[in-house]
């Protein structure tokens, strides 16, 4: 099941939009390659965090 900006795993809800969108992009690519959903989410989350850090992006939403 491909994800998008409006429908994505709950584990990505606290990420800032640019990092979350990168994770969605990576996860969908991994699904296309045959990865299981749980594994795709795990890998995509780690890679999106790294991408965000390398691009000086805020990773997670701030708690109020």
């Amino acid at each position: 099941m491909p994800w998008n900006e409006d429908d994505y795993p709950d584990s990505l809800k606290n990420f800032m939009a640019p990092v979350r969108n990168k994770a969605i992009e990576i996860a969908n690519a991994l699904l296309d390659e045959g990865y299981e959903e749980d594994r795709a989410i795990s890998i995509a989350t780690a890679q999106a965090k790294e991408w965000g850090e390398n691009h000086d992006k805020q990773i997670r939403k701030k708690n109020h």
Side-chain angles (χ1 to χ4, degrees), residues 1-55:
M1 160 183 152
W3 293 292
N4 60 50
E5 291 179 15
D6 299 317
D7 181 24
Y8 50 84
D10 284 343
S11 61
L12 301 178
K13 70 180 182 182
N14 291 323
F15 284 87
M16 296 298 291
V19 177
R20 181 175 59 243
N21 291 338
K22 180 55 78 172
I24 291 167
E25 176 186 328
I26 295 167
N28 285 334
L30 292 170
L31 288 177
D32 287 345
E33 292 178 17
Y35 282 78
E36 297 288 329
E37 279 190 14
D38 289 345
R39 189 74 183 124
I41 294 166
S42 177
I43 293 168
T45 301
Q47 289 184 355
K49 282 199 249 185
E50 184 176 335
W51 173 86
E53 290 165 359
N54 290 338
H55 289 84

